[in-house]
Amino acid sequence: MSSATSSTSLPSGLAVLTTFPDVLFIPEIIFGGLVWILVASSRVPTPILQGWVMFVSVFCFVMSITLLFLYICGVHGGSSSWIILDVICQEIAALFYLSAAVLEAYFTYAIGTVSDTPSLLPIYQENIAAVVFAFLATLMYVIHKIFSLLRMKSS
């Protein structure tokens, strides 16, 4: 019984980096940071779309770093309310990143239709990379959310 209880609670310390789904914080941070860098480095012909993508990538990056730091420090203390907080954060991040990835893909498609000018080719290539990493970040957040929901259900 005690092993079932320990598998459903949030880990603390460096065990966060070895347990699933919490190990997904690392690729979420890496992919989110790459989206942030790629969108920030490209010129912005459509500020409203790129602004949302920047907001989502920065918000989720900071949220993931903060949660990872709090889990490593053991602030949660085994409380079940932290499991619910984890699910809520992963759900918000998954929805935000899905919307940002779709908008970035639309923006990249729009650039691609007029990419016959050589000046738009670097923007197009950076945005293709941003789209790929945004969808990878979305996938990581969705997987993390699903397994966080399973952890919440079993606790």
Side-chain angles (χ1 to χ4, degrees), residues 30-40 53-54 57 97 129-130 133-134 137:
I30 291 170
F31 293 144
L34 287 170
V35 172
W36 181 6
I37 291 166
L38 288 166
V39 171
V53 176
M54 275 299 288
S57 62
Y97 249 112
F133 289 125

Side-chain angles (χ1 to χ4, degrees), residues 1 8 14 19 23 26 37 44 49-51 61 65 67 69 75 81 83 99 111 124 127 136 138 143 145:
M1 182 73 173
T8 60
L14 293 179
T19 58
V23 73
I26 303 302
I37 291 166
V44 183
L49 295 178
Q50 297 293 85
F61 184 85
I65 290 277
L67 279 176
F69 179 73
V75 174
S81 61
I83 295 174
S99 69
I111 288 176
Y124 182 64
N127 282 309
L136 285 173
T138 303
I143 292 169
K145 177 192 73 158

Side-chain angles (χ1 to χ4, degrees), residues 74-101:
V75 174
H76 53 80
S79 172
S80 64
S81 61
W82 280 86
I83 295 174
I84 295 169
L85 175 71
D86 185 50
V87 170
I88 291 169
C89 288
Q90 300 309 320
E91 176 71 27
I92 289 170
L95 289 174
F96 276 15
Y97 249 112
L98 180 62
S99 69

